[in-house]
Amino acid sequence: MRCCTLTRRWWKKRRTSSQILQRRSRSSVRLGAEQAATPAAETLQIAVTAYMRARADFDAASGANQPAIQRAATALSVAARRLNEALAAAQAPIAELEGLVRANRS
């Protein structure tokens, strides 16, 4: 009689493999989100800083009396220079994010 009771309890408490996988995936998603927050914030900070510097450079380099084509050329030049700097600065956080994505997929 005792054996049957234990078997019933075990049967009720057992988890299917899909439940176990769901529980593991939820915990890894939570951990992955926490790990991804820092490099994502660093990347965002780099992008915002690059935009602010590009805007300041453009305002300093262009004048209201310049023709539109010259202002556009100045804007493109400033944007290209600041974008290259931002991409170089963001290499480390982007690489960290890519590593987290690869680890989460496997």
Side-chain angles (χ1 to χ4, degrees):
M1 191 69 154
R2 181 164 166 75
C3 181
C4 292
T5 305
L6 291 175
T7 305
R8 271 189 255 134
R9 283 183 189 164
W10 175 83
W11 190 257
K12 286 181 181 178
K13 288 184 179 181
R14 78 172 176 78
R15 292 189 179 121
T16 63
S17 59
S18 63
Q19 288 172 329
I20 293 169
L21 289 175
Q22 286 174 352
R23 174 170 271 184
R24 285 182 186 164
S25 66
R26 275 184 277 178
S27 64
S28 66
V29 167
R30 189 177 327 116
L31 181 62
E34 291 170 0
Q35 288 176 333
T38 301
E42 289 175 15
T43 305
L44 179 61
Q45 180 184 8
I46 291 167
V48 169
T49 302
Y51 169 76
M52 292 171 54
R53 287 180 180 166
R55 181 68 188 192
D57 289 352
F58 174 74
D59 290 341
S62 65
N65 58 354
Q66 289 180 331
I69 191 78
Q70 191 174 0
R71 286 175 57 89
T74 302
L76 288 173
S77 173
V78 167
R81 186 176 68 244
R82 290 299 181 179
L83 181 60
N84 283 335
E85 292 172 3
L87 287 173
Q91 289 298 320
I94 290 172
E96 189 175 346
L97 281 170
E98 289 173 343
L100 289 171
V101 168
R102 270 190 237 105
N104 199 20
R105 285 185 183 165
S106 56

